[in-house]
DNA sequence: CAAAGATATGAACATTTATTCATAAATATT
DNA sequence: AATATTTATGAATAAATGTTCATATCTTTG
């Protein structure tokens, strides 16, 4: 059935990007990884560029921070913890996505319409931190620095878990990393 | 003169990687960017793979660990500060390096020996942190978590400065970010 | 300043990889 | 169950890109 095959193509592409980067992606290996003939890819996508852009849009759509509206009445620390925990889980689970998204955006395959970046998460964090500063809970430090600490730490740690721990993310790791983060930014 | 041409090749490669990623790197465009004929590249490197690996080694050699031996007698906090300041300056100055290094390491062009060098900075940090823990200066938290905070923060912040501040890195930013980092990890 | 040596050029050639399409297999329709 | 329609295949072809090499241009040396 059609949807199934589309997903097989997308999964194959993601997996391969993790292994050989966008530089190493061949239509033939995508087909092989997805257990189908090379020609079949062209029934679903006009060409390689369209395939990659389609995957990009799919990933973007899925990464919408749906959680935000449900929790933004909670205290800052709790909000941050929930955000941290969820993001870390997602990132580890989907570390391949990060690799794909980062590489794709500076590859020769990006279409113009893809070029909008997700400043969304950053903006959510900024608002949260500003609120925290007003409530005297967060250090009075340039929000951009705080945001870099949070996002940078998050990404680097998730990549480490993904690579060196084979994706095994314990509650202890989540809590330990979060309290490190929280202590760094709290007043 | 020979060295000058080598540098032109390396610079061209870095610049192009920032624009089109490793996926978009063509020998012909490297040559064009470096204002020389395509064939000339092959006087300096046997092939594309060797060119990219040579650049990788050069970047590794130039990065923070070169400093290590000069400072490893100093107190932990000072060592960390010097490392932080240098790394941040270098990363901002040449954010392109990050892009190259990250993409290169999962491209089809990596040679086996390149893979080893990657762990070096991480190992230096690990030793430093272990020493700090013994001296009761650093939090007793899994070093991998601490390392992720440091490296992740560093990279993310440098990218932010590079992109949003057009590379303008003030002493104040360095100090502010470092003390945030230090406070996060110190006991 | 001529000849030898070193370095550089870029069009020609080789290789790799994207894309097409004649043919086959699967599925739906009567 | 025969026929039409849709979907899949992978070898053949086209396109893109890496690499070579005969020729040209600089540099050095006697």
């Amino acid at each position: 059935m059609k949807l199934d095959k589309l997903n097989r193509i997308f999964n194959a592409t993601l997996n391969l990007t993790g292994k050989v980067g966008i530089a190493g992606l061949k239509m033939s290996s995508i087909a092989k990884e997805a257990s189908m003939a090379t020609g079949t890819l062209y029934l679903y996508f006009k060409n390689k560029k369209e395939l990659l852009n389609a995957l990009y849009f799919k990933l973007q759509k899925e990464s919408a921070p749906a959680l935000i509206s449900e929790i933004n009445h909670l205290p800052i620390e709790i909000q941050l913890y929930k955000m941290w925990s969820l993001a870390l889980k997602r990132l580890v689970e989907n570390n391949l996505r990060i690799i794909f998204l980062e590489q794709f955006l500076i590859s020769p395959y990006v279409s113009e319409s893809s070029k909008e970046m997700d400043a969304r998460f950053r903006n959510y964090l900024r608002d949260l931190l500003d609120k925290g500063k007003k409530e005297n809970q967060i250090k009075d430090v340039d929000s951009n620095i705080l945001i870099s600490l949070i996002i940078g730490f998050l990404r680097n740690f998730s990549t480490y878990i993904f690579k060196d721990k084979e994706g095994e993310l314990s509650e202890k790791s989540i809590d330990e990393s979060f309290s490190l983060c929280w202590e760094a930014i709290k007043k």
Side-chain angles (χ1 to χ4, degrees), chain A residues 31-44:
Chain A
K32 198 177 169 193
E33 179 89 12
S35 312
M36 60 185 70
T38 310
T40 308
L41 296 175
Y42 290 85
L43 299 177
Y44 295 89

Side-chain angles (χ1 to χ4, degrees), chain A residues 37-133:
Chain A
T38 310
T40 308
L41 296 175
Y42 290 85
L43 299 177
Y44 295 89
F45 303 100
K46 209 176 79 207
N47 53 38
K48 189 175 175 182
K49 183 170 179 176
E50 288 214 347
L51 191 164
L52 296 181
N53 277 277
L55 174 53
Y56 176 76
F57 275 108
K58 182 177 125 86
L59 293 181
Q60 280 297 347
K61 209 162 52 189
E62 284 175 12
S63 77
L67 177 80
I68 294 177
S69 56
E70 298 167 30
I71 63 170
N72 59 13
H73 61 283
L74 296 170
I76 310 282
E77 186 180 357
I78 311 292
Q79 263 193 73
L80 266 176
Y81 175 76
K82 281 194 185 298
M83 179 281 295
W84 183 270
S85 172
L86 183 77
L88 200 48
K89 278 176 190 160
R90 278 242 177 98
L91 288 178
V92 169
E93 211 172 288
N94 293 321
N95 193 270
L96 295 172
R97 285 164 196 235
I98 304 179
I99 295 177
F100 179 83
L101 291 173
E102 281 178 354
Q103 296 208 7
F104 176 76
L105 277 173
I106 53 165
S107 81
Y109 303 109
V110 222
S111 71
E112 278 311 310
S113 56
S114 290
K115 277 189 180 162
E116 297 167 31
M117 250 303 237
D118 63 333
R120 220 149 126 201
F121 188 51
R122 237 185 142 89
N123 284 335
Y124 161 68
L125 271 183
R126 187 184 306 281
D127 292 346
L128 193 54
L129 291 170
D130 286 347
K131 200 176 145 209
K133 284 184 198 165

